[in-house]
DNA sequence: ATGAACACCTGACTGC
DNA sequence: TGCAGTCAGGTGTTCA
C-alpha cells in the first residue's frame, strides 16, 4: 500500500526520533523479503541524525556514516506499540522508547548502507515526481516509443518513482487520460496534464496523511489513519457514479499487467 | 531490450 | 463451519 504519500507520511513521523540513541535491535526472524544484514547489530550505540526518502524507500541516517534502508512492501508499517505475531523488528532506544516494524506479508525490506547511498536497490530508480528536476516535457520524453499502457508506464519506477496502483488511477482520472492509452500515444499536452495532476494528487495525499484502505493496514507512526480515500475519484470505486457532474457513467475496473485499474470511459480518453 | 507473467506471503472476504 | 477461490499498497526475477 505504501506509495509515495504513505512513505513520506511515515518519514515525517520518524523525524520525531531524531536525536535518540539506539540501545539494541531485536530481530524476530532472519529475513523479510531478503535476509537481514549480518551486521544489523551495528546500529546499536548510534543516534538517529535524520530521515530521508528516495522513491518508496526510507533512509534512516545514523551516526558514523551508516544508513538503515527500509521499504514497507505492501503491508509494512512502523509504530511505537507491539502489535503481535507480525512484529519482525524492534528497535529499543536508550531513553526507554522503542520503534516496532510490523509487516504481515513480509514484502518489506531492511538493509544497511555503509557510506553514501550506493545500494543496488537505489541505483536504477527514475526521477522524483516532486523534485524540480522533473517536468511534463521530461515525462513526455520518457513515454516516447513505449509500447505499454500509460497506466503501466506510471507504475514503472524507471520512468518516475513513487506512483503505485492507487495514485496511478487517481492521476489518470484527473488528467482525463484513459489508462489503456499507449504511452507512446500520449500527446505533449496530455503529458503536461498528467504531470500537473501528479503534483496535485501526491501533495494533497501527503497533506491527508496518505491512504488507509478498508483493511486498515496503513497507519501513520502515531496510529492515525490516512484520509486521502475521502478524495478518491476512481480507485476502488467500481460501479459507483463518476464524480463529474456532467457524466452519467459509472467507474469501471479492468486488469492491466495483473493489477486492477479504475477509470471512467467517458471522462478519460 | 521490452513487456508480460510469475514469485514472494498472509489475511480478508465471497460463495457454495 | 469449513473450504476453495479471489483479491490486496510492490518489485525482483524469469520467460517469451
Ligand atoms: Zn465520467
Amino acid at each position: 500500500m505504501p506509495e509515495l504519500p504513505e512513505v513520506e507520511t511515515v518519514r515525517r513521523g520518524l523525524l520525531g526520533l531524531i536525536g535518540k540513541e539506539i540501545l539494541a535491535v531485536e530481530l524476530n526472524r532472519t529475513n523479510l523479503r531478503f535476509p537481514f544484514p549480518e551486521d544489523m547489530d551495528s546500529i546499536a550505540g548510534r543516534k538517529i541524525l535524520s530521515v530521508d526518502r528516495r522513491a518508496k524507500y526510507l533512509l534512516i541516517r545514523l551516526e558514523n556514516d551508516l544508513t538503515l534502508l527500509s521499504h514497507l512492501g505492501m503491508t509494512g508499517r512502523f509504530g511505537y506499540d507491539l502489535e503481535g505475531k507480525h512484529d519482525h523488528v524492534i528497535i529499543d532506544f536508550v531513553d526507554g522508547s522503542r520503534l516496532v516494524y510490523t509487516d504481515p506479508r513480509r514484502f518489506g525490506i531492511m538493509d544497511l548502507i555503509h557510506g553514501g547511498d550506493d545500494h543496488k536497490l537505489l541505483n536504477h530508480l527514475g526521477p522524483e515526481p516532486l523534485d524540480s528536476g522533473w517536468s511534463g516535457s521530461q515525462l513526455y520524453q520518457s513515454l516516447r516509443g513505449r509500447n505499454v499502457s500509460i497506466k503501466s508506464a506510471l507504475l514503472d519506477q524507471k520512468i518516475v518513482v513513487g506512483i503505485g496502483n492507487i495514485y496511478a488511477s487517481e492521476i489518470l482520472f484527473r488528467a482525463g487520460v484513459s489508462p489503456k492509452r499507449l504511452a507512446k500515444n500520449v500527446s505533449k499536452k496530455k503529458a503536461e496534464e498528467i504531470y500537473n495532476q501528479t503534483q496535485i494528487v501526491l501533495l494533497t495525499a501527503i497533506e491527508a496523511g496518505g491512504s488507509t484502505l478498508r483493511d486498515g493496514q496503513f497507519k501513520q507512526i502515531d496510529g492515525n489513519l490516512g484520509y486521502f480515500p475521502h478524495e478518491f475519484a476512481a480507485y476502488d470505486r467500481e460501479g459507483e457514479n463518476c464524480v463529474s457532474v456532467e457524466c452519467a457513467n459509472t467507474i469501471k475496473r479492468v486488469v492491466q499487467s495483473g493489477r486492477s485499474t479504475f477509470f471512467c470511459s467517458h471522462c478519460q480518453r
Side-chain angles (χ1 to χ4, degrees):
Chain A
M1 121 193 347
E3 304 180 28
L4 187 152
E6 290 74 34
V7 178
E8 178 62 21
T9 296
V10 171
R11 184 190 77 82
R12 294 179 183 189
L14 289 172
L15 293 177
L17 301 177
I18 287 174
K20 290 189 185 238
E21 181 180 342
I22 296 169
L23 178 65
V25 56
E26 306 169 40
L27 304 177
N28 288 331
R29 50 182 303 117
T30 60
N31 66 297
L32 292 171
R33 197 171 159 205
F34 302 120
F36 290 121
E38 303 259 334
D39 56 344
M40 188 66 110
D41 278 345
S42 67
I43 70 172
R46 302 181 201 240
K47 287 180 184 170
I48 293 179
L49 301 179
S50 60
V51 184
D52 297 328
R53 179 188 58 73
R54 172 75 174 106
K56 299 171 191 170
Y57 292 89
L58 290 163
L59 297 144
I60 302 173
R61 310 294 189 184
L62 305 175
E63 288 178 316
N64 297 312
D65 269 335
L66 191 65
T67 296
L68 177 57
L69 177 72
S70 169
H71 192 291
L72 303 175
M74 294 273 257
T75 55
R77 62 176 182 264
F78 283 102
Y80 300 129
D81 299 319
L82 296 173
E83 300 276 335
K85 64 176 175 174
H86 299 302
D87 299 340
H88 307 307
V89 180
I90 300 164
I91 295 173
D92 296 305
F93 296 103
V94 169
D95 69 2
S97 61
R98 69 181 167 220
L99 182 67
V100 180
Y101 179 76
T102 305
D103 187 354
R105 291 178 74 181
R106 306 202 304 271
F107 289 165
I109 295 164
M110 221 174 269
D111 202 359
L112 292 176
I113 308 175
H114 300 268
D117 284 349
D118 184 16
H119 192 285
K120 183 175 69 168
L121 297 173
L122 302 179
N123 287 341
H124 302 292
L125 293 170
E128 286 288 333
L130 299 178
D131 275 4
S132 56
W134 196 56
S135 65
S137 60
Q138 192 181 337
L139 173 62
Y140 178 67
Q141 290 302 319
S142 303
L143 298 178
R144 289 184 65 180
R146 294 300 299 263
N147 214 27
V148 288
S149 68
I150 181 63
K151 160 71 173 348
S152 293
L154 288 180
L155 294 181
D156 184 342
Q157 304 294 298
K158 288 198 275 293
I159 291 178
V160 62
V161 302
I163 299 173
N165 208 42
I166 293 175
Y167 298 106
S169 281
E170 291 303 310
I171 290 164
L172 289 173
F173 178 89
R174 288 164 168 80
V177 175
S178 168
K180 297 181 190 173
R181 178 174 288 277
L182 290 181
K184 63 183 179 185
N185 293 335
V186 171
S187 68
K188 179 83 188 293
K189 189 175 174 191
K190 279 300 187 183
E192 296 280 1
E193 189 57 22
I194 292 169
Y195 168 83
N196 289 336
Q197 294 303 322
T198 297
Q199 307 298 302
I200 293 170
V201 167
L202 295 181
L203 289 171
T204 306
I206 290 168
E207 279 188 44
S211 294
T212 299
L213 302 187
R214 9 173 164 216
D215 65 5
Q217 289 272 13
F218 175 72
K219 287 192 178 74
Q220 304 188 36
I221 300 256
D222 58 11
N224 284 331
L225 306 181
Y227 294 100
F228 190 74
H230 293 306
E231 315 296 323
F232 281 173
Y235 185 80
D236 202 22
R237 293 192 69 244
E238 182 181 17
E240 294 180 39
N241 292 330
C242 178
V243 297
S244 169
V245 290
E246 307 123 61
C247 179
N249 277 33
T250 56
I251 298 297
K252 303 288 185 264
R253 170 182 174 268
V254 293
V255 175
Q256 295 179 287
S257 297
R259 317 208 52 195
S260 290
T261 303
F262 301 87
F263 72 109
C264 174
S265 57
H266 178 260
C267 298
Q268 295 173 255
R269 304 302 172 96

